[in-house]
Amino acid sequence: QSALTQPASVSGSPGQSITISCTGTSSDIGVFDYVSWYQQHPGKAPKLMIYEVNNRPSGVSNRFSGSKSGNTAALTISGLQAEDEADYYCCSYTTSTIYAFGTGTKVTVL
Amino acid sequence: QVQFVQSGAEVKKPGASVKVSCKASGYSLITYSLHWVRQAPGQRLEWLGWIHFAEDNTKYSQELQGRLTFTWDTSANTAYMELSSLKSEDTAVYYCARSNNLKLDFWGQGTLVTVSS
């Protein structure tokens, strides 16, 4: 299946806000609100950070927020911290009843 | 609490098959769907498919359809992923993950499968 498109890298200084985009199509992000975001530190399993576009699981910092407009979803990290340095992946349910992950974004804290 | 423990690393030759297990604890495996995801070295996450226990069916990615088989053992609370006709490009870490209302809320620790002659 085609991957959703994310920027390869995003960086910011501690305390700043950054936004990661995730572009899909009218067969996935554009038609479903089942967009989720995962954080992955090196050598670790992914961790759910946002689900259904803008919902946070229990235990995830409120510095993480999600949004969607048309075929594009976004993850915003506010008050950037050193521990936020990781890879981030978006994911969407699709009209083919399969899932599509994004290409992944490496977040660097300067 | 919910936890998955996957089987250990495997080294296989091209053309062979591999079977990875995913044992659930903290809940009954069949009460939620289960997904399989893989990640080649330095690459992105790739969705492989899912098991709908309640509907007793499976869905596989088009790219691996025909080589991939998901099974489960209710009594052992364990799911299995078997990949056949292995190629070098199947070298990856394979993850199982629980689907809770279409979000993957708990993940296994991953199983490294290396395909090399």
Side-chain angles (χ1 to χ4, degrees):
Chain A
Q1 72 273 16
S2 297
L4 308 174
T5 301
Q6 299 179 233
S9 63
V10 173
S11 62
S13 299
Q16 284 187 329
S17 293
I18 62 169
T19 297
I20 303 168
S21 61
C22 171
T23 301
T25 70
S26 56
S27 296
D28 40 65
I29 294 176
V31 72
F32 292 111
D33 283 339
Y34 291 113
V35 178
S36 50
W37 289 88
Y38 301 88
Q39 176 192 65
Q40 187 181 35
H41 286 108
K44 301 294 187 183
K47 175 187 175 184
L48 177 67
M49 303 301 284
I50 294 286
Y51 65 96
E52 291 172 20
V53 177
N54 57 10
N55 292 281
R56 280 187 311 277
S58 172
V60 171
S61 170
N62 60 8
R63 297 184 299 103
F64 291 85
S65 61
S67 62
K68 188 187 93 165
S69 177
N71 295 340
T72 299
L75 173 71
T76 298
I77 308 174
S78 58
L80 200 60
Q81 298 180 1
E83 68 212 48
D84 300 332
E85 187 161 293
D87 293 327
Y88 291 82
Y89 293 92
C90 59
C91 181
S92 178
Y93 185 62
T94 78
T95 54
S96 302
T97 68
I98 65 172
Y99 277 55
F101 278 100
T103 49
T105 298
K106 181 177 181 59
V107 168
T108 301
V109 181
L110 301 172
Chain B
Q1 75 279 22
V2 175
Q3 191 175 3
F4 292 106
V5 176
Q6 298 185 220
S7 47
E10 303 261 14
V11 179
K12 296 290 184 180
K13 293 192 182 304
S17 296
V18 68
K19 191 170 186 176
V20 175
S21 67
C22 169
K23 183 173 177 58
S25 60
Y27 84 107
S28 175
L29 183 69
I30 61 172
T31 55
Y32 294 90
S33 299
L34 190 84
H35 292 238
W36 289 91
V37 176
R38 74 178 179 181
Q39 187 172 38
Q43 301 301 309
R44 69 177 185 91
L45 300 174
E46 179 186 3
W47 183 82
L48 300 183
W50 63 341
I51 308 166
H52 285 266
F53 297 110
E55 299 173 10
D56 195 21
N57 67 26
T58 55
K59 182 84 173 185
Y60 301 107
S61 78
Q62 264 192 310
E63 287 77 7
L64 294 178
Q65 184 97 32
R67 293 204 293 135
L68 198 53
T69 305
F70 301 147
T71 56
W72 60 95
D73 181 344
T74 305
S75 64
N77 219 35
T78 300
Y80 304 91
M81 180 221 63
E82 184 167 17
L83 185 60
S84 61
S85 302
L86 288 168
K87 312 170 188 180
S88 58
E89 50 263 44
D90 293 320
T91 293
V93 175
Y94 289 76
Y95 295 100
C96 60
R98 189 179 81 165
S99 175
N100 182 355
N101 283 345
L102 302 181
K103 62 184 182 290
L104 305 183
D105 60 352
F106 289 96
W107 294 64
Q109 85 276 18
T111 297
L112 175 62
V113 174
T114 303
V115 183
S116 173
S117 55

